[in-house]
Structure formats: C-alpha cells, structure tokens
Amino acid sequence: MLTACDEFDAVSVPRIAATDALVRLDRKGKAVPCLLHGDTGTFLTARGTGPYASTLPNVQVKVGRDARIILPPTIGARWDTPPWHLTERAPLELPSARLLHSYLGEGLRFYGLGETGARP
C-alpha cells in the first residue's frame, strides 16, 4: 500500500538510527509517528518541515503529491508509533521535523552513520 506525501513530510533514516531516536523520544514523552519497513524507519512530520532534517547525513526526505511511502498492511511494514492516539479515536498532531533533528543526529553519530553511511 502506497500513500502520497501531500499531507505530511516523510523523513526516512536507517532503521537502527530510527529506533534509537524512538527510544530517546519516548523517554521525553514525545510521540512522533514512525513506521518501520526493512532497513528503514520513516517518521511522519508536519508538512513543509521535512527539509529541517535533510541537513543530517543518511536522511531522505519525501514531500509532496508525487512522493510516495509504503504503509501497513504492506508485507514487512509496521507502525512503531502509529499516527493516532492509542486511547482516543483521533490523529496525532504531526510535529515539526525540527524536533527530530537532535534525536536523529545523536543516533546517526552513535552508530557511525556519518557522511558515507558506512560504519567505522
């Protein structure tokens, strides 16, 4: 299942950096929708804010009607943090990608995913 990125920006990173950022975000009580598929974690952020995260190495940002991401129930795709409240029938407010910048930066550095994307 594919969806267009016209209502949000999609910020994709290596899965290990995404899961590291998710743990750090959870410790701060912040919920950022994230889906995991293969070796990638993709965060959904407020429309127009994705480019803030694109300054980091190994970050891919998809924006606009012509950009697509995979969603569950595609085989292998699952929500780590769904884009809705777990206790209410309401969508989460998507945060700015600015929020992700420091959390992703820490994980990318910790796992050695520098400019080349290769581990040391």
Side-chain angles (χ1 to χ4, degrees), residues 18-100:
T19 55
D20 180 82
L22 285 164
V23 168
R24 293 171 194 269
L25 286 161
D26 189 53
R27 287 180 183 158
K28 298 290 185 181
K30 304 199 181 296
V32 180
C34 181
L35 71 98
L36 303 173
H37 183 257
D39 294 338
T40 304
T42 301
F43 292 91
L44 305 185
T45 62
R47 187 171 55 185
T49 67
Y52 291 113
S54 68
T55 60
L56 294 167
N58 292 304
V59 172
Q60 181 184 13
V61 176
K62 294 182 180 180
V63 299
R65 184 177 319 154
D66 295 330
R68 305 266 191 265
I69 62 167
I70 291 175
L71 292 178
T74 302
I75 293 174
R78 69 172 184 84
W79 290 110
D80 179 276
T81 307
W84 57 84
H85 292 277
L86 296 177
T87 57
E88 305 170 19
R89 293 188 142 222
L92 288 176
E93 182 176 336
L94 298 178
S96 169
R98 287 182 184 188
L99 171 70
L100 284 178

